[in-house]
Amino acid sequence: MNATIFALATPPGRGAVAVVRLSGPESGRAVLALAGVLPAARVATLRTLRHGGARLDQALILWFPAPASYTGEDVAELHLHGGRAVVEGVLGALSDLGLRPAEPGEFTRRAFENGRMDLAQAEAVADLIDAESAAQARQALGQLDGALRAVYAGFRADLLRALALVEAEIDFPDEDVPDGLARTAGPILDRLAGDLRRALADAGRGERVREGYRIVLIGETNAGKSSLFNALVAREAAIVTAIPGTTRDVLDAQLVLDGYAVTLSDTAGLRESDDPIEAEGVRRARARAAAADLRLWVRAPGDPEGDAAEFVRPDDLVVWTKADLGAEGEGLRVSTITGEGMDALHAALSERLRGDLSGADFPAVTRARHRLRLTEALDAVESGRRALFLAPEMAGEDLRRAATALAQVTGEIGVEDVLGEVFASFCIGK
Protein backbone atom coordinates (compact mmCIF):
# COMPACT_ATOMS: atom_id res chain seq x y z
CA MET A 1 0.00 0.00 0.00
CA ASN A 2 1.27 3.46 -0.89
CA ALA A 3 2.19 5.74 1.98
CA THR A 4 -0.02 8.78 2.40
CA ILE A 5 1.85 11.91 1.35
CA PHE A 6 1.37 15.63 1.83
CA ALA A 7 2.91 18.81 0.45
CA LEU A 8 2.39 22.53 0.22
CA ALA A 9 0.96 23.00 -3.27
CA THR A 10 1.30 26.80 -3.36
CA PRO A 11 4.55 28.80 -3.31
CA PRO A 12 6.19 28.98 0.12
CA GLY A 13 6.24 32.24 2.05
CA ARG A 14 3.67 34.76 3.17
CA GLY A 15 0.44 34.87 1.17
CA ALA A 16 -3.31 35.21 1.37
CA VAL A 17 -3.99 31.49 0.94
CA ALA A 18 -1.85 28.37 1.19
CA VAL A 19 -3.02 25.00 -0.12
CA VAL A 20 -1.79 21.75 1.43
CA ARG A 21 -2.52 18.63 -0.58
CA LEU A 22 -2.79 15.06 0.77
CA SER A 23 -2.96 11.81 -1.20
CA GLY A 24 -3.17 8.21 -0.09
CA PRO A 25 -5.27 5.79 1.96
CA GLU A 26 -4.83 7.69 5.24
CA SER A 27 -5.96 11.06 3.85
CA GLY A 28 -9.46 10.72 5.22
CA ARG A 29 -8.24 9.70 8.65
CA ALA A 30 -5.90 12.70 8.76
CA VAL A 31 -8.68 15.13 7.83
CA LEU A 32 -10.98 13.58 10.41
CA ALA A 33 -8.29 13.92 13.07
CA LEU A 34 -7.66 17.60 12.30
CA ALA A 35 -11.19 18.79 11.49
CA GLY A 36 -13.38 16.33 13.42
CA VAL A 37 -15.43 15.60 10.30
CA LEU A 38 -14.90 14.31 6.76
CA PRO A 39 -16.71 16.70 4.37
CA ALA A 40 -18.98 15.57 1.56
CA ALA A 41 -17.11 14.83 -1.66
CA ARG A 42 -16.22 17.91 -3.72
CA VAL A 43 -17.98 20.35 -1.41
CA ALA A 44 -15.83 23.12 0.09
CA THR A 45 -16.40 22.99 3.85
CA LEU A 46 -15.21 25.49 6.46
CA ARG A 47 -13.82 23.85 9.58
CA THR A 48 -11.45 24.66 12.44
CA LEU A 49 -8.31 22.54 12.42
CA ARG A 50 -6.95 21.35 15.78
CA HIS A 51 -4.06 19.16 16.82
CA GLY A 52 -2.72 18.25 20.24
CA GLY A 53 -5.25 20.50 21.92
CA ALA A 54 -4.09 23.55 19.94
CA ARG A 55 -6.11 25.45 17.37
CA LEU A 56 -4.18 25.55 14.08
CA ASP A 57 -6.41 27.50 11.67
CA GLN A 58 -9.87 27.94 10.24
CA ALA A 59 -9.66 26.34 6.80
CA LEU A 60 -11.64 25.29 3.76
CA ILE A 61 -11.46 21.53 3.23
CA LEU A 62 -12.02 19.71 -0.06
CA TRP A 63 -12.37 15.92 -0.16
CA PHE A 64 -11.90 13.84 -3.33
CA PRO A 65 -12.43 10.11 -2.70
CA ALA A 66 -10.72 7.56 -4.94
CA PRO A 67 -10.72 6.88 -7.81
CA ALA A 68 -12.15 10.20 -9.05
CA SER A 69 -9.24 12.37 -7.96
CA TYR A 70 -6.09 13.81 -9.48
CA THR A 71 -3.94 10.90 -8.30
CA GLY A 72 -6.61 8.20 -8.39
CA GLU A 73 -6.25 7.84 -4.60
CA ASP A 74 -8.11 9.49 -1.75
CA VAL A 75 -7.09 13.15 -1.95
CA ALA A 76 -7.76 16.09 0.34
CA GLU A 77 -6.89 19.77 0.08
CA LEU A 78 -6.61 22.12 3.03
CA HIS A 79 -6.98 25.77 2.04
CA LEU A 80 -5.29 27.68 4.85
CA HIS A 81 -4.47 31.26 5.71
CA GLY A 82 -1.09 31.83 4.12
CA GLY A 83 1.02 32.76 7.13
CA ARG A 84 4.23 30.81 7.66
CA ALA A 85 3.33 29.80 11.24
CA VAL A 86 -0.07 28.44 10.14
CA VAL A 87 1.43 26.39 7.31
CA GLU A 88 4.24 25.01 9.45
CA GLY A 89 1.78 24.08 12.18
CA VAL A 90 -0.43 22.10 9.81
CA LEU A 91 2.52 20.39 8.08
CA GLY A 92 3.90 19.41 11.48
CA ALA A 93 0.54 18.01 12.54
CA LEU A 94 0.35 15.87 9.38
CA SER A 95 3.81 14.46 10.13
CA ASP A 96 2.70 13.68 13.68
CA LEU A 97 -0.26 11.75 12.23
CA GLY A 98 2.12 9.45 10.31
CA LEU A 99 1.96 11.01 6.87
CA ARG A 100 5.19 11.76 5.02
CA PRO A 101 6.26 14.74 2.88
CA ALA A 102 5.90 14.16 -0.87
CA GLU A 103 8.89 13.95 -3.17
CA PRO A 104 9.12 16.15 -6.31
CA GLY A 105 6.44 15.14 -8.80
CA GLU A 106 5.09 12.35 -6.59
CA PHE A 107 1.44 13.39 -6.90
CA THR A 108 1.62 13.35 -10.70
CA ARG A 109 3.65 10.15 -10.70
CA ARG A 110 0.88 8.48 -8.71
CA ALA A 111 -1.66 9.83 -11.22
CA PHE A 112 0.36 8.15 -13.99
CA GLU A 113 0.77 4.89 -12.10
CA ASN A 114 -2.97 4.80 -11.34
CA GLY A 115 -3.93 5.35 -14.98
CA ARG A 116 -5.21 8.90 -14.58
CA MET A 117 -2.87 10.15 -17.32
CA ASP A 118 -0.15 8.82 -19.61
CA LEU A 119 3.50 9.75 -19.38
CA ALA A 120 3.30 12.45 -22.05
CA GLN A 121 0.39 14.06 -20.22
CA ALA A 122 2.38 13.96 -16.99
CA GLU A 123 5.20 15.83 -18.73
CA ALA A 124 2.64 18.35 -19.94
CA VAL A 125 1.69 19.12 -16.34
CA ALA A 126 5.28 20.17 -15.63
CA ASP A 127 5.42 22.16 -18.88
CA LEU A 128 2.19 23.97 -18.06
CA ILE A 129 3.52 24.96 -14.63
CA ASP A 130 6.71 26.28 -16.23
CA ALA A 131 4.99 28.01 -19.18
CA GLU A 132 5.94 31.67 -19.52
CA SER A 133 4.36 32.38 -22.90
CA ALA A 134 0.97 31.81 -24.47
CA ALA A 135 2.47 29.41 -27.03
CA GLN A 136 4.09 27.31 -24.30
CA ALA A 137 0.79 27.15 -22.42
CA ARG A 138 -1.15 26.20 -25.58
CA GLN A 139 1.28 23.41 -26.40
CA ALA A 140 1.27 22.07 -22.85
CA LEU A 141 -2.54 22.14 -22.69
CA GLY A 142 -2.78 20.32 -26.01
CA GLN A 143 -0.41 17.64 -24.75
CA LEU A 144 -2.35 17.40 -21.48
CA ASP A 145 -5.56 16.93 -23.48
CA GLY A 146 -4.01 13.94 -25.25
CA ALA A 147 -2.88 15.50 -28.55
CA LEU A 148 0.57 13.91 -28.37
CA ARG A 149 -0.93 10.55 -27.41
CA ALA A 150 -3.16 10.74 -30.49
CA VAL A 151 -0.16 11.33 -32.76
CA TYR A 152 1.65 8.29 -31.39
CA ALA A 153 -1.51 6.20 -31.46
CA GLY A 154 -1.63 6.77 -35.22
CA PHE A 155 1.99 5.65 -35.60
CA ARG A 156 1.38 2.55 -33.50
CA ALA A 157 -1.82 1.63 -35.36
CA ASP A 158 0.08 1.43 -38.68
CA LEU A 159 2.90 -0.44 -36.99
CA LEU A 160 0.56 -3.01 -35.46
CA ARG A 161 -1.18 -3.58 -38.80
CA ALA A 162 2.16 -4.34 -40.40
CA LEU A 163 3.24 -6.51 -37.48
CA ALA A 164 0.01 -8.52 -37.69
CA LEU A 165 0.77 -9.43 -41.31
CA VAL A 166 4.31 -10.46 -40.44
CA GLU A 167 3.26 -12.47 -37.38
CA ALA A 168 0.55 -14.26 -39.37
CA GLU A 169 3.14 -15.66 -41.78
CA ILE A 170 5.47 -16.60 -38.91
CA ASP A 171 2.90 -18.20 -36.60
CA PHE A 172 0.69 -19.97 -39.14
CA PRO A 173 3.01 -21.30 -41.86
CA ASP A 174 0.88 -24.44 -42.38
CA GLU A 175 -2.44 -22.65 -42.44
CA ASP A 176 -4.27 -21.34 -45.47
CA VAL A 177 -2.58 -17.93 -45.63
CA PRO A 178 -1.37 -16.25 -48.83
CA ASP A 179 2.26 -16.77 -49.82
CA GLY A 180 4.50 -13.83 -49.02
CA LEU A 181 1.93 -12.34 -46.64
CA ALA A 182 4.66 -10.53 -44.68
CA ARG A 183 5.75 -8.72 -47.82
CA THR A 184 2.35 -7.06 -48.12
CA ALA A 185 3.29 -5.03 -45.06
CA GLY A 186 5.84 -3.16 -47.17
CA PRO A 187 3.59 -0.24 -48.26
CA ILE A 188 2.34 0.22 -44.69
CA LEU A 189 5.91 0.42 -43.41
CA ASP A 190 6.93 2.78 -46.21
CA ARG A 191 4.11 5.13 -45.24
CA LEU A 192 4.96 4.85 -41.56
CA ALA A 193 8.65 5.53 -42.16
CA GLY A 194 7.71 8.64 -44.13
CA ASP A 195 5.49 9.85 -41.29
CA LEU A 196 8.27 9.28 -38.76
CA ARG A 197 10.81 11.14 -40.92
CA ARG A 198 8.45 14.11 -41.24
CA ALA A 199 7.89 14.09 -37.49
CA LEU A 200 11.64 14.14 -36.85
CA ALA A 201 12.18 16.87 -39.44
CA ASP A 202 9.63 18.94 -37.53
CA ALA A 203 11.12 18.03 -34.15
CA GLY A 204 12.62 21.46 -33.54
CA ARG A 205 9.23 23.18 -33.55
CA GLY A 206 7.82 21.62 -30.40
CA GLU A 207 11.13 21.77 -28.53
CA ARG A 208 11.70 25.42 -29.45
CA VAL A 209 8.21 26.38 -28.28
CA ARG A 210 8.85 24.62 -24.97
CA GLU A 211 12.45 25.74 -24.41
CA GLY A 212 12.38 29.13 -26.12
CA TYR A 213 13.38 30.37 -29.57
CA ARG A 214 17.04 31.48 -29.76
CA ILE A 215 17.81 34.80 -31.47
CA VAL A 216 21.45 35.96 -31.54
CA LEU A 217 22.82 39.37 -32.47
CA ILE A 218 26.08 39.15 -34.41
CA GLY A 219 28.25 41.76 -36.11
CA GLU A 220 31.42 43.80 -36.00
CA THR A 221 32.54 45.78 -32.96
CA ASN A 222 30.61 49.02 -32.46
CA ALA A 223 27.92 47.97 -34.93
CA GLY A 224 25.23 48.84 -32.37
CA LYS A 225 24.42 45.32 -31.17
CA SER A 226 24.22 46.20 -27.48
CA SER A 227 22.10 49.29 -28.15
CA LEU A 228 19.72 47.19 -30.26
CA PHE A 229 19.70 44.49 -27.55
CA ASN A 230 18.67 47.07 -24.94
CA ALA A 231 15.97 48.44 -27.22
CA LEU A 232 14.49 44.98 -27.84
CA VAL A 233 14.43 44.01 -24.17
CA ALA A 234 13.26 47.51 -23.16
CA ARG A 235 15.86 48.02 -20.44
CA GLU A 236 19.52 48.87 -19.98
CA ALA A 237 20.69 45.28 -19.84
CA ALA A 238 23.97 45.66 -21.77
CA ILE A 239 26.75 48.19 -21.25
CA VAL A 240 27.04 50.54 -24.22
CA THR A 241 30.18 52.61 -24.88
CA ALA A 242 32.04 53.98 -27.88
CA ILE A 243 35.04 51.78 -27.02
CA PRO A 244 35.39 48.83 -29.44
CA GLY A 245 35.17 45.44 -27.71
CA THR A 246 33.07 46.59 -24.73
CA THR A 247 30.93 43.42 -24.89
CA ARG A 248 33.17 40.48 -24.08
CA ASP A 249 30.73 37.75 -23.14
CA VAL A 250 27.34 36.47 -24.23
CA LEU A 251 24.50 38.32 -22.51
CA ASP A 252 21.09 36.62 -22.51
CA ALA A 253 17.64 38.02 -21.84
CA GLN A 254 14.29 36.25 -21.78
CA LEU A 255 11.32 37.94 -23.41
CA VAL A 256 8.00 37.12 -25.04
CA LEU A 257 7.37 38.14 -28.65
CA ASP A 258 3.96 37.59 -30.23
CA GLY A 259 3.14 35.03 -27.53
CA TYR A 260 6.35 33.00 -27.97
CA ALA A 261 9.18 32.66 -25.45
CA VAL A 262 12.46 33.98 -26.84
CA THR A 263 16.04 33.98 -25.59
CA LEU A 264 17.80 37.01 -27.07
CA SER A 265 21.61 37.02 -26.95
CA ASP A 266 24.02 39.92 -27.32
CA THR A 267 27.53 38.84 -28.31
CA ALA A 268 31.05 40.19 -28.65
CA GLY A 269 32.02 41.83 -31.94
CA LEU A 270 33.48 39.24 -34.30
CA ARG A 271 37.09 40.11 -34.95
CA GLU A 272 40.57 38.73 -34.38
CA SER A 273 42.09 39.88 -31.08
CA ASP A 274 45.34 39.36 -29.16
CA ASP A 275 43.48 40.07 -25.91
CA PRO A 276 42.77 36.60 -24.43
CA ILE A 277 39.59 37.81 -22.70
CA GLU A 278 38.15 39.33 -25.87
CA ALA A 279 39.26 36.30 -27.89
CA GLU A 280 37.31 34.03 -25.54
CA GLY A 281 34.28 36.29 -25.91
CA VAL A 282 34.56 36.03 -29.70
CA ARG A 283 34.81 32.23 -29.46
CA ARG A 284 31.63 32.15 -27.37
CA ALA A 285 29.91 34.49 -29.81
CA ARG A 286 30.75 32.19 -32.72
CA ALA A 287 29.46 29.14 -30.82
CA ARG A 288 26.21 30.87 -29.88
CA ALA A 289 25.69 32.09 -33.44
CA ALA A 290 26.16 28.57 -34.80
CA ALA A 291 23.47 27.21 -32.45
CA ALA A 292 20.93 30.02 -32.97
CA ASP A 293 17.51 29.57 -34.52
CA LEU A 294 17.79 33.05 -36.03
CA ARG A 295 20.70 35.47 -36.34
CA LEU A 296 20.31 39.23 -36.64
CA TRP A 297 23.34 40.46 -38.57
CA VAL A 298 23.74 43.91 -37.09
CA ARG A 299 25.59 46.38 -39.35
CA ALA A 300 26.33 50.07 -39.08
CA PRO A 301 26.87 52.50 -42.00
CA GLY A 302 30.35 52.01 -43.38
CA ASP A 303 30.87 48.58 -41.79
CA PRO A 304 32.64 45.94 -43.89
CA GLU A 305 31.07 42.50 -44.10
CA GLY A 306 33.76 41.09 -41.79
CA ASP A 307 33.70 37.77 -39.96
CA ALA A 308 29.98 37.87 -39.20
CA ALA A 309 29.13 37.11 -42.82
CA GLU A 310 30.25 33.49 -42.49
CA PHE A 311 27.55 32.80 -39.86
CA VAL A 312 24.63 34.35 -41.72
CA ARG A 313 22.24 31.99 -43.41
CA PRO A 314 19.96 33.03 -46.28
CA ASP A 315 16.87 33.25 -44.05
CA ASP A 316 18.53 35.34 -41.33
CA LEU A 317 17.80 39.06 -40.97
CA VAL A 318 20.19 41.91 -41.78
CA VAL A 319 19.61 44.92 -39.55
CA TRP A 320 21.26 48.27 -40.34
CA THR A 321 21.59 50.38 -37.21
CA LYS A 322 22.08 54.12 -36.83
CA ALA A 323 19.49 54.82 -39.51
CA ASP A 324 19.46 58.42 -38.31
CA LEU A 325 23.00 58.73 -39.72
CA GLY A 326 22.21 57.46 -43.19
CA ALA A 327 20.95 54.47 -45.17
CA GLU A 328 22.98 51.53 -46.43
CA GLY A 329 22.22 48.28 -48.30
CA GLU A 330 19.34 45.83 -48.27
CA GLY A 331 17.79 44.90 -44.95
CA LEU A 332 15.89 46.47 -42.10
CA ARG A 333 16.95 49.96 -41.01
CA VAL A 334 16.58 50.98 -37.38
CA SER A 335 17.65 53.72 -35.04
CA THR A 336 17.71 53.08 -31.31
CA ILE A 337 17.98 56.86 -30.81
CA THR A 338 14.84 57.90 -32.70
CA GLY A 339 13.01 54.55 -32.69
CA GLU A 340 12.87 54.52 -36.49
CA GLY A 341 12.34 51.03 -37.89
CA MET A 342 11.80 49.31 -34.53
CA ASP A 343 8.13 48.54 -35.27
CA ALA A 344 9.14 46.98 -38.59
CA LEU A 345 11.81 44.89 -36.83
CA HIS A 346 9.30 43.65 -34.25
CA ALA A 347 6.89 42.76 -37.07
CA ALA A 348 9.62 40.86 -38.93
CA LEU A 349 10.56 38.92 -35.80
CA SER A 350 6.91 38.08 -35.08
CA GLU A 351 6.44 36.84 -38.65
CA ARG A 352 9.51 34.63 -38.36
CA LEU A 353 8.36 33.19 -35.03
CA ARG A 354 4.92 32.36 -36.39
CA GLY A 355 6.44 30.78 -39.50
CA ASP A 356 8.93 28.64 -37.57
CA LEU A 357 6.87 27.68 -34.54
CA SER A 358 3.23 27.50 -35.57
CA GLY A 359 1.77 24.59 -37.48
CA ALA A 360 -1.49 22.93 -38.37
CA ASP A 361 -0.58 19.65 -36.67
CA PHE A 362 0.44 19.08 -33.08
CA PRO A 363 4.21 18.45 -32.96
CA ALA A 364 5.24 14.84 -32.39
CA VAL A 365 8.25 15.99 -30.38
CA THR A 366 8.23 18.41 -27.45
CA ARG A 367 11.23 16.99 -25.56
CA ALA A 368 14.57 15.42 -26.42
CA ARG A 369 13.26 12.15 -24.96
CA HIS A 370 10.54 12.00 -27.61
CA ARG A 371 13.03 12.69 -30.40
CA LEU A 372 15.26 9.84 -29.20
CA ARG A 373 12.37 7.37 -29.14
CA LEU A 374 11.15 8.43 -32.59
CA THR A 375 14.67 7.95 -33.96
CA GLU A 376 14.83 4.47 -32.44
CA ALA A 377 11.42 3.64 -33.92
CA LEU A 378 12.39 4.87 -37.39
CA ASP A 379 15.63 2.86 -37.36
CA ALA A 380 13.71 -0.26 -36.35
CA VAL A 381 10.98 0.27 -38.99
CA GLU A 382 13.56 0.74 -41.74
CA SER A 383 15.43 -2.36 -40.58
CA GLY A 384 12.20 -4.34 -40.51
CA ARG A 385 11.27 -3.13 -43.98
CA ARG A 386 14.57 -4.43 -45.36
CA ALA A 387 14.10 -7.77 -43.61
CA LEU A 388 10.63 -8.46 -45.05
CA PHE A 389 12.04 -10.18 -48.14
CA LEU A 390 14.82 -11.95 -46.24
CA ALA A 391 13.50 -13.24 -42.94
CA PRO A 392 10.04 -12.42 -41.59
CA GLU A 393 11.19 -13.49 -38.11
CA MET A 394 13.83 -10.76 -38.13
CA ALA A 395 11.31 -8.24 -39.47
CA GLY A 396 8.92 -9.12 -36.68
CA GLU A 397 11.59 -8.54 -34.05
CA ASP A 398 12.44 -5.14 -35.57
CA LEU A 399 8.79 -4.09 -35.61
CA ARG A 400 8.32 -5.14 -31.99
CA ARG A 401 11.36 -3.02 -31.14
CA ALA A 402 9.75 -0.06 -32.94
CA ALA A 403 6.51 -0.57 -31.00
CA THR A 404 8.43 -0.57 -27.74
CA ALA A 405 10.16 2.71 -28.62
CA LEU A 406 6.86 4.43 -29.45
CA ALA A 407 5.14 3.07 -26.35
CA GLN A 408 7.84 4.53 -24.12
CA VAL A 409 6.75 8.05 -25.04
CA THR A 410 3.33 7.63 -23.47
CA GLY A 411 4.36 5.01 -20.89
CA GLU A 412 2.14 2.23 -22.22
CA ILE A 413 4.78 -0.35 -21.32
CA GLY A 414 7.22 -0.69 -18.44
CA VAL A 415 9.36 2.45 -18.47
CA GLU A 416 10.77 2.49 -14.94
CA ASP A 417 14.13 3.67 -16.25
CA VAL A 418 12.66 6.95 -17.51
CA LEU A 419 10.18 7.70 -14.72
CA GLY A 420 12.78 9.11 -12.36
CA GLU A 421 14.07 11.50 -15.02
CA VAL A 422 10.58 12.68 -15.96
CA PHE A 423 9.26 13.35 -12.46
CA ALA A 424 12.47 14.68 -10.90
CA SER A 425 11.90 18.01 -12.66
CA PHE A 426 8.51 18.56 -10.97
CA CYS A 427 7.97 20.93 -8.08
CA ILE A 428 7.02 19.59 -4.65
CA GLY A 429 3.23 19.29 -4.32
CA LYS A 430 2.63 18.38 -7.95
Side-chain angles (χ1 to χ4, degrees):
M1 180 182 294
N2 276 342
T4 300
I5 57 175
F6 68 89
L8 179 65
T10 47
R14 181 173 178 268
V17 176
V19 177
V20 173
R21 174 182 281 175
L22 294 69
S23 181
E26 295 297 305
S27 297
R29 179 184 65 83
V31 170
L32 189 61
L34 294 178
V37 65
L38 190 63
R42 294 171 188 80
V43 176
T45 305
L46 184 65
R47 287 290 183 271
T48 297
L49 305 183
R50 292 183 172 87
H51 179 66
R55 184 180 180 186
L56 300 176
D57 192 23
Q58 191 175 51
L60 280 176
I61 304 172
L62 286 166
W63 171 241
F64 304 94
S69 69
Y70 179 75
T71 63
E73 303 175 326
D74 286 344
V75 169
E77 290 184 358
L78 309 178
H79 293 237
L80 314 171
H81 292 91
R84 187 183 301 275
V86 170
V87 173
E88 290 180 352
V90 171
L91 296 181
L94 293 172
S95 291
D96 291 344
L97 291 170
L99 281 62
R100 72 162 173 83
E103 297 175 355
E106 189 169 4
F107 286 89
T108 304
R109 177 163 181 163
R110 290 187 178 199
F112 165 72
E113 291 173 340
N114 291 326
R116 299 293 291 172
M117 61 179 67
D118 64 32
L119 195 55
Q121 289 174 305
E123 290 174 325
V125 173
D127 290 346
L128 190 58
I129 292 171
D130 291 336
E132 296 180 345
S133 71
Q136 289 173 328
R138 283 196 303 271
Q139 180 167 285
L141 283 169
Q143 188 167 324
L144 185 60
D145 286 342
L148 191 65
R149 178 179 57 197
V151 172
Y152 281 80
F155 294 154
R156 293 194 71 208
D158 282 344
L159 185 59
L160 293 178
R161 279 194 291 271
L163 185 57
L165 295 171
V166 174
E167 294 287 3
E169 181 168 327
I170 296 171
D171 294 340
F172 305 103
D174 300 325
E175 301 295 332
D176 186 19
V177 297
D179 292 337
L181 181 62
R183 300 179 185 181
T184 63
I188 300 175
L189 294 179
D190 289 338
R191 182 176 66 250
L192 175 59
D195 291 341
L196 293 175
R197 290 190 199 99
R198 282 187 291 275
L200 284 168
D202 189 41
R205 178 163 61 96
E207 289 181 273
R208 283 184 291 179
V209 168
R210 178 178 173 269
E211 298 170 3
Y213 192 83
R214 298 163 297 180
I215 300 176
V216 177
L217 308 182
I218 61 172
E220 306 302 308
T221 58
N222 277 29
K225 297 186 299 300
S226 294
S227 295
L228 181 59
F229 180 83
N230 288 343
L232 287 170
V233 303
R235 59 187 175 90
E236 296 297 318
I239 297 173
V240 177
T241 75
I243 301 173
T246 297
T247 301
R248 296 192 168 201
D249 201 353
V250 176
L251 181 62
D252 293 329
Q254 312 300 320
L255 63 154
V256 176
L257 291 176
D258 200 35
Y260 294 97
V262 170
T263 298
L264 183 68
S265 300
D266 186 22
T267 63
L270 299 180
R271 66 173 181 176
E272 297 298 324
S273 175
D274 295 329
D275 183 331
I277 298 177
E278 184 178 3
E280 174 61 18
V282 172
R283 185 196 67 78
R284 295 184 183 190
R286 292 173 182 271
R288 187 63 62 89
D293 298 311
L294 172 66
R295 283 145 297 274
L296 301 187
W297 184 9
V298 182
R299 305 187 65 184
D303 272 357
E305 284 199 352
D307 293 343
E310 67 182 276
F311 291 99
V312 179
R313 300 168 189 165
D315 58 347
D316 287 335
L317 297 179
V318 179
V319 181
W320 291 92
T321 59
K322 308 176 185 179
D324 49 306
L325 301 181
E328 285 284 346
E330 293 185 2
L332 295 164
R333 296 174 177 81
V334 302
S335 169
T336 57
I337 301 297
T338 67
E340 177 185 346
M342 291 302 297
D343 287 344
L345 176 58
H346 277 104
L349 293 176
S350 294
E351 182 179 0
R352 174 58 58 84
L353 288 166
R354 289 192 297 271
D356 286 355
L357 301 183
S358 64
D361 298 324
F362 194 87
V365 174
T366 63
R367 291 173 177 246
R369 184 180 75 84
H370 306 161
R371 178 163 27 86
L372 176 62
R373 298 295 173 243
L374 270 186
T375 301
E376 291 175 354
L378 176 59
D379 289 344
V381 167
E382 290 176 335
S383 178
R385 178 66 175 89
R386 291 190 296 269
L388 283 180
F389 291 86
L390 302 174
E393 294 83 1
M394 294 176 59
E397 181 59 32
D398 285 328
L399 298 187
R400 284 189 290 273
R401 183 161 55 90
T404 296
L406 293 176
Q408 283 183 325
V409 174
T410 55
E412 295 176 36
I413 61 170
V415 287
E416 189 63 31
D417 56 331
V418 300
L419 291 185
E421 176 186 348
V422 169
F423 291 106
S425 63
F426 277 63
C427 57
I428 299 292
K430 200 63 179 178

